[in-house]
Amino acid sequence: MMDTLLTLAKGLPLLALGVAAGATYPPVPVDLTTPVQHRIAINSPTSVRIAWNTYQQLSQPCVQYGTSPSSLGSQSCSTSSITYPTSRTWANVVTINNLTPATTYYYKIVSTNSTLETFTSPRLPGDKTPFNISIVIDLGVYGKDGYTIEQDETKRDLIPSIDPSLNHTTIGRLRDNMDKYDFIVHPGDIGYADDWILKAHNWLDGKDGYQAITETFFNQLAPISARKPYMTSPGNHEAACQEVPQTSALCPSGQKNFTDFINRFGRVLPTAFASTSADQQAKVNANKARLLANPPFWYSFEYGMAHIVMIDTETDFEDAPDQPGGSAGLNGGPFGSYLRQQLDFLEADLASVDRSVTPWVVVAGHRPWYTTGTSDCQPCKKAFEPLFYKYGVDLGVFGHVHNSQRFAPMVNDTADANGMENPKAPMYIVAGGAGNVEGLSKVGENVTTNRFAYDEAFSYATVNFLDEQRLQVDFIKSDTGEILDRSVLFKKHDQRFVVQ
């Protein structure tokens, strides 16, 4: 891919003179207030945010809701309807507060052309009921402007889509099994709109292709993300209109520096929850984390027996790959008010976790520092791994590499001697095989601490919180639903506040 990018970069003046390939936009509805690209997110233990896009700005976005599909007796509104240069749509968001925990609600976005949707409100922190989440990373758009079943010779034939003829795909699998998981975690590389220039071979047409791919992807995802909280953080494919190093200045103003990602998710995702621990210092640390959080880049939330942190592996730490001077040459960020804001947030947030309330701690980001291939992010490892170990993170979730991998609990490249039975070090997984235009990545040869690796077809992961001491990770083959790998991590969690 990098050789292709560099070759393309050298030919930019010529390509700019070519004939535009023509991007295929989704049709614009007659009623411009028609909701599209729906997505919801957990906002607090008793609230969610409902977000959607429209083809005109709304003066007052509103959502009607209730616990019966025939009686939507409550309404919540906002004035949040924003857009950016080159976007055809406005992003709208409404917060629904004071929800009864773990309860089915029905909602309808106020428009002359909207449909009834449903969601289940969050579980309160400390609820020890088992639950399951889906991990979907590096997920791209399906279709002639993305990738299609005609590309089966490169294993790109199982591309996510909601088309009934393509049921055996990652999105199809998630759509058909929504009763089996509570929410989706997607840390980065969302839609792959920035790969349009490589397909179009035309720089000038890139801005239209970028927007068309973005709209199409979120329309394809909407049947799921309208009903299941969709918790994201950034990847390298959110940074700019393309991945050609040191050329982001050529992108339109609305298609660089994570603009669409910020516009789409910045007002939707939470900061950090107030601590429900009885410990006063935990409350102080949680409040500090809340002040330092910077959604959609870094934030945390709690759900039942889990504390989940979303981090930004692209910017805002020393030698971060996507920020100015970084190895990716994408010139994004920084987004904090000072260089260590994200790391200070992470430390305060992890220090606030009371394991008697939320025994499991999961941190998700895009770039891994443990992988069987060569795409390991060493600056990420230097920045984040010491905090993971110090505060006893149980599971690290990453993508970026387009396959599925599971590693032994480990620290400093060394497997924990206890293995999966009460290790001190975090367990790591890579779940980047969901499917996108770039296809799959070969497993590679760095297998010393690897316990599972799969690159033969598209796949994704689930994390099942069985009880306070057992966590199960499954890797699932997208086309058949076959469980490719299953592992169970046991942790005693007999220490309220972990500091190692």
Side-chain angles (χ1 to χ4, degrees):
M1 173 60 78
M2 186 55 66
D3 290 342
T4 304
L5 291 170
L6 293 176
T7 300
L8 181 60
K10 293 176 182 177
L12 286 179
L14 176 62
L15 293 175
L17 297 175
V19 177
T24 304
Y25 278 105
V28 176
V30 175
D31 179 357
L32 299 182
T33 71
T34 299
V36 295
Q37 305 169 37
H38 306 59
R39 55 210 177 272
I40 67 175
I42 298 166
N43 179 58
S44 80
T46 57
S47 69
V48 300
R49 284 183 174 142
I50 309 292
W52 69 98
N53 284 37
T54 50
Y55 285 90
Q56 72 176 31
Q57 188 172 26
L58 302 182
S59 60
Q60 189 179 53
C62 292
V63 173
Q64 297 171 338
Y65 64 98
T67 55
S68 168
S70 60
S71 180
L72 305 181
S74 299
Q75 178 167 292
S76 183
C77 300
S78 77
T79 57
S80 181
S81 185
I82 61 173
T83 191
Y84 60 88
T86 76
S87 176
R88 301 198 306 168
T89 63
W90 279 258
N92 312 284
V93 60
V94 167
T95 303
I96 299 179
N97 294 308
N98 302 314
L99 298 172
T100 303
T103 299
T104 299
Y105 282 84
Y106 299 87
Y107 74 94
K108 188 175 183 180
I109 294 165
V110 175
S111 166
T112 60
N113 190 26
S114 61
T115 58
L116 185 71
E117 295 291 352
T118 184
F119 67 87
T120 300
S121 55
R123 296 189 181 277
L124 290 179
D127 181 343
K128 303 306 194 298
T129 305
F131 68 93
N132 196 29
I133 66 175
S134 290
I135 308 295
V136 181
I137 315 174
D138 298 280
L139 180 63
V141 71
Y142 173 83
K144 73 183 188 66
D145 289 338
Y147 47 103
T148 69
I149 57 175
E150 284 73 31
Q151 295 172 307
D152 60 339
E153 73 280 2
T154 57
K155 297 184 179 179
R156 297 176 184 177
D157 57 326
L158 304 175
I159 307 312
S161 172
I162 62 169
D163 189 318
S165 67
L166 295 164
N167 283 336
H168 303 300
T169 64
T170 300
I171 283 188
R173 185 71 51 191
L174 292 172
R175 178 202 61 203
D176 295 340
N177 291 276
M178 282 196 281
D179 60 328
K180 295 182 179 178
Y181 62 93
D182 287 27
F183 56 89
I184 295 172
V185 170
H186 188 164
D189 285 9
I190 305 167
Y192 285 75
D194 64 336
D195 273 338
W196 170 259
I197 189 172
L198 297 180
K199 181 179 177 65
H201 300 296
N202 188 294
W203 194 276
L204 292 179
D205 189 48
K207 68 180 180 65
D208 289 327
Y210 182 96
Q211 297 303 147
I213 295 295
T214 298
E215 290 183 27
T216 300
F217 175 79
F218 286 102
N219 283 339
Q220 290 181 355
L221 187 70
I224 302 168
S225 56
R227 298 188 171 200
K228 294 293 181 178
Y230 182 61
M231 311 303 287
T232 66
S233 61
N236 50 297
H237 283 277
E238 280 68 71
C241 73
Q242 39 59 40
E243 269 204 296
V244 182
Q246 307 302 337
T247 58
S248 60
L250 295 173
C251 295
S253 60
Q255 295 179 14
K256 50 189 169 185
N257 205 23
F258 297 86
T259 297
D260 181 83
F261 182 71
I262 295 169
N263 185 276
R264 190 173 299 275
F265 294 109
R267 301 186 181 197
V268 180
L269 297 166
T271 53
F273 286 11
S275 175
T276 56
S277 172
D279 184 89
Q280 187 59 36
Q281 189 58 48
K283 295 180 184 296
V284 171
N285 286 330
N287 186 61
K288 180 179 179 181
R290 201 170 191 177
L291 294 173
L292 293 171
N294 188 19
F297 293 96
W298 55 90
Y299 61 94
S300 70
F301 62 101
E302 294 187 329
Y303 189 99
M305 65 180 102
H307 183 98
I308 299 176
V309 191
M310 306 294 287
I311 60 172
D312 174 10
T313 62
E314 308 308 304
T315 69
D316 289 84
F317 56 92
E318 187 175 355
D319 297 322
D322 289 6
Q323 69 187 22
S327 59
L330 296 175
N331 297 311
F335 297 102
S337 59
Y338 62 99
L339 181 61
R340 282 194 56 87
Q341 181 176 332
Q342 178 179 196
L343 297 178
D344 287 349
F345 154 79
L346 181 61
E347 180 146 34
D349 190 78
L350 294 176
S352 75
V353 180
D354 185 338
R355 301 300 180 105
S356 70
V357 179
T358 50
W360 291 105
V361 176
V362 176
V363 182
H366 186 64
R367 294 178 188 256
W369 48 91
Y370 292 122
T371 173
T372 56
T374 58
S375 297
D376 53 311
C377 179
Q378 290 303 306
C380 301
K381 180 181 180 182
K382 181 180 178 182
F384 296 112
E385 187 179 44
L387 294 176
F388 276 42
Y389 183 77
K390 179 179 179 180
Y391 292 103
V393 170
D394 297 300
L395 176 66
V397 173
F398 297 93
H400 191 62
V401 182
H402 297 171
N403 55 41
S404 291
Q405 305 174 27
R406 174 173 62 86
F407 289 85
M410 59 192 299
V411 64
N412 295 327
D413 299 289
T414 302
D416 192 301
N418 289 336
M420 300 287 281
E421 297 294 320
N422 202 39
K424 290 185 176 181
M427 172 185 173
Y428 289 92
I429 65 170
V430 172
N436 62 71
V437 71
E438 296 179 1
L440 291 164
S441 304
K442 291 298 183 182
V443 165
E445 300 178 353
N446 182 18
V447 296
T448 305
T449 56
N450 178 261
R451 299 295 179 262
F452 166 76
Y454 180 79
D455 63 4
E456 296 179 15
F458 295 116
S459 58
Y460 66 100
T462 62
V463 178
N464 194 341
F465 299 86
L466 300 174
D467 55 40
E468 296 173 66
Q469 296 184 325
R470 294 180 304 134
L471 177 150
Q472 176 180 296
V473 176
D474 289 348
F475 284 96
I476 298 172
K477 192 167 182 279
S478 296
D479 61 339
T480 65
E482 172 191 354
I483 297 175
L484 300 166
D485 178 70
R486 170 168 288 174
S487 59
V488 176
L489 176 65
F490 172 80
K491 297 291 286 285
K492 288 184 179 179
H493 291 142
D494 54 359
Q495 188 175 353
R496 280 186 69 192
F497 299 95
V498 177
V499 182
Q500 300 178 144

